[in-house]
Amino acid sequence: MEARTNLGSLLKILPPVDFCCVYGSSIHPNNNDKSSMEDYILGVSNPQQWHSEITKAADRIGVGVHFNPFVSWNNKMYKYGVVSIDDLVEDMLSWKRFYLSGRLQKPVRIIVDNKDITNTNLINLRAASSAALLLLPSKFTERELYAKICSLSYMGDLRMLFAEDKNKIKKIVEGQFELFRNMYKPLVEEYAAKQLLRLSSCGDNQMNISQDYSLSATSSVVSSLPESVRSQMGMGTVETKAGQISKLTIGSREEAAALMQKVLRRRVMISSARQAVAGFIAVGAVHGVKYLGKKMMKAWKSSSK
């Protein structure tokens, strides 16, 4: 309870919000670095009123979330992002921009939740599980599942080329393994109950997982993806001349995986590029270069190891 209160301390100096979560290294159970920046996502009813000086530019160019890094308060550095609560929900359900939905597929600690975001996000987590299963082989470990889920929102991210730690995904999963397990184990067991997965224990308190690679199983997995993704994959629904709705067929699992990966990669690429430009406009060139410089330094250090 004390940790929850401390993480939400920035809210004391901000206008009221409808939703707040903290993500990133600040919620690692083993993180004792008091100098690290705390990352926030804030959901508000009216971002224009709440943050009018940056909202118009970010809405026009970015992906609807407006980040303000390097906020210093109470001897600590913060970064927060403000988003319309409706846009937040839409991205979780549709993966329209696959930006905030991707962040919420990784562990966060929700501090304020009066819009039932937690339950809504279960749809996002189930879709992420399905997307990861399509990209995984017939046999894999629990850790590999979480790593694949974590990697979804980085596919096509331009920052991964030069401004991110090359070991970022591995570090996220290793540092928050139990948090990933708490999020996804119920969904893994749900898929096992449907006989899409088979689970077995291994010596290091992890699960070995094998999955059904048949077309019927693949169809079931694809059905959990957002409709907008399935539609772009050519595996959504179509209306026939007779006015009836019929499902498009899946040729093979490999085809489904390749099509989905192409859709997600394009969405992430566009969103990351738009948000990078909007970020420079929103926070100013000085802060933008400073933030990018920190990212590039981490990337350089990771590549030189």
Side-chain angles (χ1 to χ4, degrees):
M1 184 66 183
E2 182 180 355
R4 181 186 179 98
T5 302
N6 290 339
L7 283 175
S9 61
L10 180 65
L11 298 181
K12 296 177 182 178
I13 61 169
L14 297 177
V17 300
D18 296 319
F19 171 81
C20 169
C21 73
V22 180
Y23 66 92
S25 61
S26 60
I27 67 170
H28 286 202
N30 58 350
N31 179 29
N32 297 313
D33 183 6
K34 302 300 182 183
S35 65
S36 63
M37 185 182 296
E38 290 186 6
D39 297 328
Y40 282 65
I41 296 292
L42 307 178
V44 299
S45 298
N46 190 334
Q48 287 79 8
Q49 182 178 352
W50 200 95
H51 223 185
S52 59
E53 70 274 14
I54 63 170
T55 301
K56 290 182 180 179
D59 273 345
R60 184 170 60 252
I61 299 173
V63 295
V65 58
H66 325 307
F67 284 100
N68 190 12
F70 305 111
V71 178
S72 179
W73 180 72
N74 200 22
N75 297 318
K76 194 165 183 65
M77 194 71 71
Y78 296 87
K79 178 184 75 176
Y80 62 82
V82 185
V83 62
S84 162
I85 201 75
D86 292 336
D87 287 346
L88 176 62
V89 171
E90 180 185 18
D91 198 46
M92 283 193 296
L93 298 179
S94 72
W95 292 4
K96 178 180 178 181
R97 289 162 169 158
F98 204 50
Y99 193 81
L100 295 174
S101 51
R103 277 157 176 73
L104 289 172
Q105 289 164 7
K106 295 178 276 290
V108 301
R109 182 169 295 165
I110 292 179
I111 298 170
V112 179
D113 186 10
N114 66 0
K115 293 289 186 178
D116 206 21
I117 297 296
T118 300
N119 288 332
T120 303
N121 195 43
L122 285 175
I123 299 173
N124 179 33
L125 300 185
R126 184 175 289 106
S129 301
S130 295
L133 290 177
L134 280 179
L135 298 174
L136 284 164
S138 59
K139 295 182 180 180
F140 51 92
T141 66
E142 186 179 1
R143 190 178 299 274
E144 288 171 333
L145 171 63
Y146 303 152
K148 187 61 68 175
I149 291 171
C150 184
S151 73
L152 295 174
S153 59
Y154 294 116
M155 294 191 303
D157 191 331
L158 299 177
R159 296 171 302 173
M160 296 301 290
L161 298 176
F162 64 93
E164 287 288 3
D165 185 343
K166 67 176 184 178
N167 298 312
K168 184 181 183 77
I169 293 170
K170 180 180 179 181
K171 289 179 178 178
I172 290 174
V173 174
E174 289 184 352
Q176 305 180 67
F177 181 81
E178 289 299 327
L179 298 178
F180 271 100
R181 173 176 278 174
N182 291 338
M183 291 174 69
Y184 287 101
K185 189 175 181 181
L187 294 173
V188 170
E189 293 173 344
E190 175 186 307
Y191 278 54
K194 295 178 180 178
Q195 298 186 337
L196 297 173
L197 300 178
R198 292 178 294 280
L199 314 178
S200 60
S201 300
C202 56
D204 56 352
N205 192 32
Q206 288 190 58
M207 291 184 293
N208 285 326
I209 306 171
S210 59
Q211 61 174 321
D212 185 346
Y213 248 43
S214 68
L215 286 181
S216 60
T218 300
S219 179
S220 181
V221 169
V222 169
S223 68
S224 293
L225 299 176
E227 169 61 29
S228 66
V229 175
R230 286 185 280 123
S231 178
Q232 283 195 306
M233 290 168 61
M235 296 176 180
T237 56
V238 294
E239 187 169 357
T240 65
K241 292 181 179 180
Q244 298 176 337
I245 302 297
S246 60
K247 290 185 178 181
L248 297 176
T249 59
I250 295 175
S252 69
R253 191 181 188 91
E254 292 74 19
E255 177 191 13
L259 289 170
M260 182 201 67
Q261 190 170 32
K262 182 178 179 180
V263 171
L264 296 187
R265 188 180 296 276
R266 177 173 174 77
R267 291 190 183 190
V268 172
M269 182 179 66
I270 292 173
S271 291
S272 65
R274 290 171 66 92
Q275 187 59 25
V277 174
F280 271 99
I281 292 175
V283 306
V286 174
H287 276 178
V289 171
K290 181 180 178 182
Y291 183 65
L292 181 60
K294 285 181 175 288
K295 288 284 191 180
M296 292 181 69
M297 181 62 69
K298 285 185 178 180
W300 181 81
K301 287 181 178 179
S302 70
S303 64
S304 61
K305 291 180 179 179

